[in-house]
Amino acid sequence: GLAAFDELAAPTSFDAELRTFPKASEVVLGAGANWDDAWGHVTFAAYARRFIDADVNVHDRDDGWEYAVDVRPAIKLQRRGLHAALDLAYEARFPRGLQPTTQLAADAAIVSIAPMLTFHPTGPSAFDRPELRVIYRAAHQNDGALALYPQADPRARAWTQYLGVEAEWWFNSNSYR
């Protein structure tokens, strides 16, 4: 009877009989692709999710659709694995209910752009690991996303920025190839 809730977490909403089945449902569709070439590579990912919980209210904020799309083209700068990349992403949520702070129907959305330099010491492919990155990310939240924050929350800004150094590698691998 866990239906659409995580197997390791307690359900957050129930029907009148304190059950989640058969009313709660979740559908997740995802796709990803990568293309490696002599000039660089392009990585793409997308997902869509529909979630309906078990409570009787069909017009609340925790029911609805969400999706995200991300594409990252990278151009080879050096023969051994130095790339200039640009990550472009869009995320949106379409709830069935009103915003709690404004009592208006508003869809939350975030668009981001992240230029980066990546280095793959073991090869030039998008999936060669380890990968070291220097990244700058700027993200814009629309009014619907800003309305999700409590009033006077210092994180409720239309633009957020991130500058960092990242490292990524595969765990439990004898070889990075």
Side-chain angles (χ1 to χ4, degrees):
L2 293 177
F5 297 96
D6 189 305
E7 301 86 13
L8 301 176
T12 55
S13 61
F14 305 94
D15 65 6
E17 298 172 358
L18 297 178
R19 295 183 335 160
T20 60
F21 183 79
K23 293 182 182 178
S25 67
E26 181 176 18
V27 175
V28 179
L29 303 170
N34 180 67
W35 180 39
D36 281 329
D37 202 4
W39 56 266
H41 54 265
V42 177
T43 304
F44 167 83
Y47 91 97
R49 175 182 181 248
R50 183 188 63 86
F51 180 77
I52 307 296
D53 63 6
D55 62 20
V56 294
N57 188 356
V58 295
H59 298 290
D60 55 359
R61 298 276 317 148
D62 55 0
D63 296 347
W65 280 91
E66 65 185 25
Y67 72 88
V69 177
D70 193 308
V71 63
R72 183 183 295 178
I75 297 171
K76 190 184 303 186
L77 299 177
Q78 180 190 29
R79 183 171 85 43
R80 191 60 188 153
L82 182 65
H83 291 82
L86 183 65
D87 190 88
L88 303 167
Y90 183 77
E91 305 168 45
R93 175 131 171 58
F94 306 102
R96 288 185 168 180
L98 302 176
Q99 291 280 5
T101 55
T102 64
Q103 293 301 307
L104 298 172
D107 299 330
I110 300 172
V111 61
S112 67
I113 182 169
M116 64 185 79
L117 285 174
T118 65
F119 178 62
H120 304 249
T122 59
S125 172
F127 294 111
D128 284 333
R129 295 294 180 265
E131 179 179 272
L132 305 173
R133 291 184 211 107
V134 176
I135 182 172
Y136 168 75
R137 179 182 184 259
H140 180 265
Q141 301 182 86
N142 71 357
D143 291 337
L146 293 173
L148 295 174
Y149 291 96
Q151 288 183 341
D153 190 322
R155 298 170 296 168
R157 292 181 283 203
W159 283 95
T160 57
Q161 300 177 47
Y162 168 80
L163 177 64
V165 176
E166 301 173 347
E168 182 178 329
W169 62 91
W170 306 126
F171 287 106
N172 297 328
S173 176
N174 332 354
S175 169
Y176 287 110
R177 291 192 177 257

mmCIF file of all heavy atoms in Angstrom, residues 75-109:
data_model
loop_
_atom_site.group_PDB
_atom_site.id
_atom_site.type_symbol
_atom_site.label_atom_id
_atom_site.label_comp_id
_atom_site.label_asym_id
_atom_site.label_seq_id
_atom_site.Cartn_x
_atom_site.Cartn_y
_atom_site.Cartn_z
ATOM 1 N N ILE A 75 33.144 21.835 -26.252
ATOM 2 C CA ILE A 75 34.091 21.904 -27.363
ATOM 3 C C ILE A 75 35.480 21.598 -26.835
ATOM 4 O O ILE A 75 35.910 22.159 -25.820
ATOM 5 C CB ILE A 75 34.064 23.292 -28.028
ATOM 6 C CG1 ILE A 75 32.678 23.530 -28.616
ATOM 7 C CG2 ILE A 75 35.125 23.407 -29.092
ATOM 8 C CD1 ILE A 75 32.472 24.934 -29.109
ATOM 9 N N LYS A 76 36.175 20.699 -27.540
ATOM 10 C CA LYS A 76 37.518 20.288 -27.135
ATOM 11 C C LYS A 76 38.501 21.446 -27.366
ATOM 12 O O LYS A 76 38.563 22.019 -28.445
ATOM 13 C CB LYS A 76 37.958 19.067 -27.932
ATOM 14 C CG LYS A 76 39.227 18.443 -27.410
ATOM 15 C CD LYS A 76 39.707 17.298 -28.270
ATOM 16 C CE LYS A 76 38.671 16.231 -28.425
ATOM 17 N NZ LYS A 76 39.160 15.055 -29.134
ATOM 18 N N LEU A 77 39.248 21.793 -26.307
ATOM 19 C CA LEU A 77 40.264 22.832 -26.409
ATOM 20 C C LEU A 77 41.669 22.252 -26.510
ATOM 21 O O LEU A 77 42.581 22.930 -26.970
ATOM 22 C CB LEU A 77 40.202 23.764 -25.188
ATOM 23 C CG LEU A 77 38.895 24.527 -24.975
ATOM 24 C CD1 LEU A 77 38.971 25.342 -23.707
ATOM 25 C CD2 LEU A 77 38.583 25.396 -26.180
ATOM 26 N N GLN A 78 41.811 21.026 -26.044
ATOM 27 C CA GLN A 78 43.118 20.369 -26.008
ATOM 28 C C GLN A 78 42.910 18.901 -26.346
ATOM 29 O O GLN A 78 41.861 18.330 -26.052
ATOM 30 C CB GLN A 78 43.714 20.526 -24.597
ATOM 31 C CG GLN A 78 45.061 19.907 -24.420
ATOM 32 C CD GLN A 78 45.450 19.896 -22.935
ATOM 33 O OE1 GLN A 78 44.599 19.847 -22.061
ATOM 34 N NE2 GLN A 78 46.732 19.921 -22.673
ATOM 35 N N ARG A 79 43.896 18.265 -26.913
ATOM 36 C CA ARG A 79 43.776 16.879 -27.356
ATOM 37 C C ARG A 79 43.475 15.910 -26.217
ATOM 38 O O ARG A 79 42.787 14.919 -26.380
ATOM 39 C CB ARG A 79 45.080 16.482 -28.072
ATOM 40 C CG ARG A 79 45.048 15.078 -28.634
ATOM 41 C CD ARG A 79 46.223 14.770 -29.496
ATOM 42 N NE ARG A 79 47.470 14.303 -28.996
ATOM 43 C CZ ARG A 79 47.746 13.392 -28.066
ATOM 44 N NH1 ARG A 79 46.841 12.870 -27.381
ATOM 45 N NH2 ARG A 79 48.938 13.016 -27.774
ATOM 46 N N ARG A 80 43.941 16.154 -25.025
ATOM 47 C CA ARG A 80 43.866 15.164 -23.946
ATOM 48 C C ARG A 80 42.631 15.259 -23.046
ATOM 49 O O ARG A 80 42.432 14.440 -22.186
ATOM 50 C CB ARG A 80 45.138 15.264 -23.104
ATOM 51 C CG ARG A 80 45.322 14.147 -22.142
ATOM 52 C CD ARG A 80 45.403 12.812 -22.856
ATOM 53 N NE ARG A 80 45.396 11.742 -21.890
ATOM 54 C CZ ARG A 80 44.965 10.547 -22.109
ATOM 55 N NH1 ARG A 80 44.491 10.229 -23.289
ATOM 56 N NH2 ARG A 80 44.996 9.634 -21.190
ATOM 57 N N GLY A 81 41.772 16.283 -23.194
ATOM 58 C CA GLY A 81 40.568 16.260 -22.364
ATOM 59 C C GLY A 81 40.163 17.588 -21.761
ATOM 60 O O GLY A 81 39.323 17.605 -20.871
ATOM 61 N N LEU A 82 40.699 18.706 -22.194
ATOM 62 C CA LEU A 82 40.262 20.015 -21.715
ATOM 63 C C LEU A 82 39.146 20.510 -22.639
ATOM 64 O O LEU A 82 39.309 20.535 -23.856
ATOM 65 C CB LEU A 82 41.428 21.011 -21.707
ATOM 66 C CG LEU A 82 41.092 22.403 -21.168
ATOM 67 C CD1 LEU A 82 40.722 22.338 -19.692
ATOM 68 C CD2 LEU A 82 42.273 23.345 -21.376
ATOM 69 N N HIS A 83 38.005 20.857 -22.041
ATOM 70 C CA HIS A 83 36.838 21.289 -22.809
ATOM 71 C C HIS A 83 36.289 22.603 -22.252
ATOM 72 O O HIS A 83 36.375 22.853 -21.052
ATOM 73 C CB HIS A 83 35.702 20.260 -22.720
ATOM 74 C CG HIS A 83 35.974 18.992 -23.425
ATOM 75 N ND1 HIS A 83 36.721 17.982 -22.867
ATOM 76 C CD2 HIS A 83 35.586 18.552 -24.642
ATOM 77 C CE1 HIS A 83 36.790 16.966 -23.715
ATOM 78 N NE2 HIS A 83 36.096 17.293 -24.799
ATOM 79 N N ALA A 84 35.677 23.400 -23.123
ATOM 80 C CA ALA A 84 34.848 24.530 -22.725
ATOM 81 C C ALA A 84 33.414 24.069 -22.938
ATOM 82 O O ALA A 84 33.056 23.603 -24.023
ATOM 83 C CB ALA A 84 35.152 25.759 -23.572
ATOM 84 N N ALA A 85 32.601 24.158 -21.902
ATOM 85 C CA ALA A 85 31.228 23.654 -21.978
ATOM 86 C C ALA A 85 30.254 24.737 -21.544
ATOM 87 O O ALA A 85 30.619 25.684 -20.846
ATOM 88 C CB ALA A 85 31.070 22.413 -21.092
ATOM 89 N N LEU A 86 29.007 24.559 -21.955
ATOM 90 C CA LEU A 86 27.937 25.474 -21.578
ATOM 91 C C LEU A 86 26.720 24.631 -21.228
ATOM 92 O O LEU A 86 26.177 23.924 -22.082
ATOM 93 C CB LEU A 86 27.605 26.419 -22.739
ATOM 94 C CG LEU A 86 26.555 27.475 -22.448
ATOM 95 C CD1 LEU A 86 27.060 28.447 -21.380
ATOM 96 C CD2 LEU A 86 26.203 28.220 -23.712
ATOM 97 N N ASP A 87 26.311 24.684 -19.973
ATOM 98 C CA ASP A 87 25.164 23.923 -19.506
ATOM 99 C C ASP A 87 23.936 24.843 -19.521
ATOM 100 O O ASP A 87 23.957 25.910 -18.909
ATOM 101 C CB ASP A 87 25.414 23.395 -18.095
ATOM 102 C CG ASP A 87 24.365 22.397 -17.675
ATOM 103 O OD1 ASP A 87 24.555 21.210 -17.970
ATOM 104 O OD2 ASP A 87 23.369 22.805 -17.059
ATOM 105 N N LEU A 88 22.887 24.431 -20.227
ATOM 106 C CA LEU A 88 21.646 25.188 -20.316
ATOM 107 C C LEU A 88 20.522 24.326 -19.755
ATOM 108 O O LEU A 88 20.354 23.173 -20.172
ATOM 109 C CB LEU A 88 21.340 25.555 -21.774
ATOM 110 C CG LEU A 88 22.431 26.344 -22.486
ATOM 111 C CD1 LEU A 88 22.172 26.363 -23.979
ATOM 112 C CD2 LEU A 88 22.525 27.744 -21.924
ATOM 113 N N ALA A 89 19.751 24.870 -18.811
ATOM 114 C CA ALA A 89 18.711 24.071 -18.163
ATOM 115 C C ALA A 89 17.440 24.885 -17.963
ATOM 116 O O ALA A 89 17.488 26.106 -17.783
ATOM 117 C CB ALA A 89 19.204 23.553 -16.817
ATOM 118 N N TYR A 90 16.307 24.180 -17.982
ATOM 119 C CA TYR A 90 15.003 24.773 -17.704
ATOM 120 C C TYR A 90 14.213 23.778 -16.865
ATOM 121 O O TYR A 90 14.122 22.603 -17.205
ATOM 122 C CB TYR A 90 14.249 25.089 -18.999
ATOM 123 C CG TYR A 90 12.927 25.767 -18.755
ATOM 124 C CD1 TYR A 90 12.867 27.112 -18.423
ATOM 125 C CD2 TYR A 90 11.738 25.055 -18.841
ATOM 126 C CE1 TYR A 90 11.655 27.738 -18.190
ATOM 127 C CE2 TYR A 90 10.517 25.677 -18.617
ATOM 128 C CZ TYR A 90 10.486 27.008 -18.288
ATOM 129 O OH TYR A 90 9.282 27.630 -18.051
ATOM 130 N N GLU A 91 13.656 24.250 -15.758
ATOM 131 C CA GLU A 91 12.857 23.412 -14.876
ATOM 132 C C GLU A 91 11.542 24.127 -14.616
ATOM 133 O O GLU A 91 11.527 25.346 -14.452
ATOM 134 C CB GLU A 91 13.560 23.211 -13.528
ATOM 135 C CG GLU A 91 14.954 22.666 -13.637
ATOM 136 C CD GLU A 91 15.696 22.768 -12.315
ATOM 137 O OE1 GLU A 91 15.111 22.420 -11.264
ATOM 138 O OE2 GLU A 91 16.844 23.207 -12.327
ATOM 139 N N ALA A 92 10.442 23.387 -14.562
ATOM 140 C CA ALA A 92 9.135 23.989 -14.307
ATOM 141 C C ALA A 92 8.255 23.036 -13.511
ATOM 142 O O ALA A 92 8.412 21.818 -13.584
ATOM 143 C CB ALA A 92 8.445 24.351 -15.619
ATOM 144 N N ARG A 93 7.357 23.607 -12.734
ATOM 145 C CA ARG A 93 6.398 22.834 -11.946
ATOM 146 C C ARG A 93 5.026 23.429 -12.173
ATOM 147 O O ARG A 93 4.841 24.644 -12.102
ATOM 148 C CB ARG A 93 6.758 22.894 -10.469
ATOM 149 C CG ARG A 93 5.762 22.225 -9.558
ATOM 150 C CD ARG A 93 6.443 21.301 -8.582
ATOM 151 N NE ARG A 93 5.674 20.744 -7.518
ATOM 152 C CZ ARG A 93 4.585 20.012 -7.623
ATOM 153 N NH1 ARG A 93 4.041 19.807 -8.784
ATOM 154 N NH2 ARG A 93 3.995 19.490 -6.580
ATOM 155 N N PHE A 94 4.049 22.557 -12.458
ATOM 156 C CA PHE A 94 2.671 22.973 -12.711
ATOM 157 C C PHE A 94 1.754 22.338 -11.662
ATOM 158 O O PHE A 94 1.195 21.267 -11.900
ATOM 159 C CB PHE A 94 2.241 22.553 -14.121
ATOM 160 C CG PHE A 94 3.182 23.053 -15.180
ATOM 161 C CD1 PHE A 94 4.105 22.191 -15.754
ATOM 162 C CD2 PHE A 94 3.163 24.376 -15.569
ATOM 163 C CE1 PHE A 94 4.978 22.649 -16.719
ATOM 164 C CE2 PHE A 94 4.040 24.843 -16.528
ATOM 165 C CZ PHE A 94 4.946 23.988 -17.109
ATOM 166 N N PRO A 95 1.608 22.957 -10.510
ATOM 167 C CA PRO A 95 0.761 22.387 -9.465
ATOM 168 C C PRO A 95 -0.721 22.581 -9.768
ATOM 169 O O PRO A 95 -1.099 23.444 -10.553
ATOM 170 C CB PRO A 95 1.168 23.189 -8.222
ATOM 171 C CG PRO A 95 1.607 24.500 -8.773
ATOM 172 C CD PRO A 95 2.235 24.205 -10.104
ATOM 173 N N ARG A 96 -1.537 21.769 -9.117
ATOM 174 C CA ARG A 96 -2.987 21.871 -9.301
ATOM 175 C C ARG A 96 -3.612 22.907 -8.374
ATOM 176 O O ARG A 96 -4.797 23.181 -8.497
ATOM 177 C CB ARG A 96 -3.638 20.519 -9.032
ATOM 178 C CG ARG A 96 -3.389 19.513 -10.096
ATOM 179 C CD ARG A 96 -4.174 18.276 -9.766
ATOM 180 N NE ARG A 96 -4.204 17.367 -10.890
ATOM 181 C CZ ARG A 96 -4.819 16.210 -10.871
ATOM 182 N NH1 ARG A 96 -5.478 15.836 -9.803
ATOM 183 N NH2 ARG A 96 -4.794 15.433 -11.935
ATOM 184 N N GLY A 97 -2.860 23.455 -7.440
ATOM 185 C CA GLY A 97 -3.436 24.383 -6.469
ATOM 186 C C GLY A 97 -2.842 25.776 -6.569
ATOM 187 O O GLY A 97 -2.003 26.058 -7.416
ATOM 188 N N LEU A 98 -3.273 26.632 -5.654
ATOM 189 C CA LEU A 98 -2.830 28.014 -5.613
ATOM 190 C C LEU A 98 -1.544 28.151 -4.805
ATOM 191 O O LEU A 98 -1.261 27.338 -3.923
ATOM 192 C CB LEU A 98 -3.921 28.893 -4.984
ATOM 193 C CG LEU A 98 -5.285 28.877 -5.681
ATOM 194 C CD1 LEU A 98 -6.287 29.713 -4.899
ATOM 195 C CD2 LEU A 98 -5.162 29.350 -7.105
ATOM 196 N N GLN A 99 -0.794 29.214 -5.083
ATOM 197 C CA GLN A 99 0.404 29.514 -4.297
ATOM 198 C C GLN A 99 -0.023 29.825 -2.867
ATOM 199 O O GLN A 99 -0.984 30.575 -2.657
ATOM 200 C CB GLN A 99 1.140 30.737 -4.876
ATOM 201 C CG GLN A 99 1.780 30.491 -6.196
ATOM 202 C CD GLN A 99 3.101 29.760 -6.053
ATOM 203 O OE1 GLN A 99 3.526 29.344 -4.990
ATOM 204 N NE2 GLN A 99 3.770 29.600 -7.167
ATOM 205 N N PRO A 100 0.663 29.291 -1.855
ATOM 206 C CA PRO A 100 0.235 29.520 -0.470
ATOM 207 C C PRO A 100 0.395 30.981 -0.026
ATOM 208 O O PRO A 100 -0.378 31.458 0.791
ATOM 209 C CB PRO A 100 1.136 28.588 0.345
ATOM 210 C CG PRO A 100 2.259 28.236 -0.552
ATOM 211 C CD PRO A 100 1.786 28.379 -1.950
ATOM 212 N N THR A 101 1.373 31.698 -0.553
ATOM 213 C CA THR A 101 1.608 33.067 -0.083
ATOM 214 C C THR A 101 0.781 34.102 -0.827
ATOM 215 O O THR A 101 0.370 35.100 -0.254
ATOM 216 C CB THR A 101 3.095 33.429 -0.210
ATOM 217 O OG1 THR A 101 3.503 33.221 -1.568
ATOM 218 C CG2 THR A 101 3.944 32.583 0.717
ATOM 219 N N THR A 102 0.503 33.880 -2.116
ATOM 220 C CA THR A 102 -0.213 34.872 -2.917
ATOM 221 C C THR A 102 -1.655 34.487 -3.211
ATOM 222 O O THR A 102 -2.436 35.334 -3.642
ATOM 223 C CB THR A 102 0.505 35.082 -4.262
ATOM 224 O OG1 THR A 102 0.466 33.855 -4.995
ATOM 225 C CG2 THR A 102 1.932 35.537 -4.054
ATOM 226 N N GLN A 103 -2.020 33.220 -3.003
ATOM 227 C CA GLN A 103 -3.340 32.691 -3.339
ATOM 228 C C GLN A 103 -3.677 32.881 -4.814
ATOM 229 O O GLN A 103 -4.823 33.081 -5.192
ATOM 230 C CB GLN A 103 -4.421 33.303 -2.445
ATOM 231 C CG GLN A 103 -4.308 32.888 -0.995
ATOM 232 C CD GLN A 103 -4.392 31.368 -0.841
ATOM 233 O OE1 GLN A 103 -5.317 30.730 -1.311
ATOM 234 N NE2 GLN A 103 -3.417 30.781 -0.163
ATOM 235 N N LEU A 104 -2.653 32.847 -5.669
ATOM 236 C CA LEU A 104 -2.803 32.937 -7.110
ATOM 237 C C LEU A 104 -2.297 31.655 -7.753
ATOM 238 O O LEU A 104 -1.451 30.970 -7.188
ATOM 239 C CB LEU A 104 -2.020 34.127 -7.660
ATOM 240 C CG LEU A 104 -2.434 35.508 -7.165
ATOM 241 C CD1 LEU A 104 -1.444 36.555 -7.658
ATOM 242 C CD2 LEU A 104 -3.835 35.840 -7.629
ATOM 243 N N ALA A 105 -2.797 31.356 -8.932
ATOM 244 C CA ALA A 105 -2.281 30.227 -9.698
ATOM 245 C C ALA A 105 -1.016 30.689 -10.410
ATOM 246 O O ALA A 105 -1.051 31.630 -11.196
ATOM 247 C CB ALA A 105 -3.305 29.747 -10.706
ATOM 248 N N ALA A 106 0.103 30.082 -10.082
ATOM 249 C CA ALA A 106 1.378 30.468 -10.702
ATOM 250 C C ALA A 106 2.259 29.236 -10.824
ATOM 251 O O ALA A 106 2.391 28.462 -9.883
ATOM 252 C CB ALA A 106 2.079 31.537 -9.871
ATOM 253 N N ASP A 107 2.848 29.075 -11.992
ATOM 254 C CA ASP A 107 3.744 27.955 -12.232
ATOM 255 C C ASP A 107 5.172 28.390 -11.945
ATOM 256 O O ASP A 107 5.638 29.408 -12.446
ATOM 257 C CB ASP A 107 3.630 27.488 -13.684
ATOM 258 C CG ASP A 107 2.225 27.025 -14.018
ATOM 259 O OD1 ASP A 107 1.543 26.532 -13.108
ATOM 260 O OD2 ASP A 107 1.825 27.158 -15.181
ATOM 261 N N ALA A 108 5.863 27.625 -11.136
ATOM 262 C CA ALA A 108 7.253 27.934 -10.785
ATOM 263 C C ALA A 108 8.175 27.469 -11.904
ATOM 264 O O ALA A 108 7.994 26.391 -12.461
ATOM 265 C CB ALA A 108 7.620 27.236 -9.478
ATOM 266 N N ALA A 109 9.179 28.294 -12.224
ATOM 267 C CA ALA A 109 10.135 27.927 -13.272
ATOM 268 C C ALA A 109 11.497 28.527 -12.959
ATOM 269 O O ALA A 109 11.600 29.609 -12.377
ATOM 270 C CB ALA A 109 9.660 28.402 -14.636
#
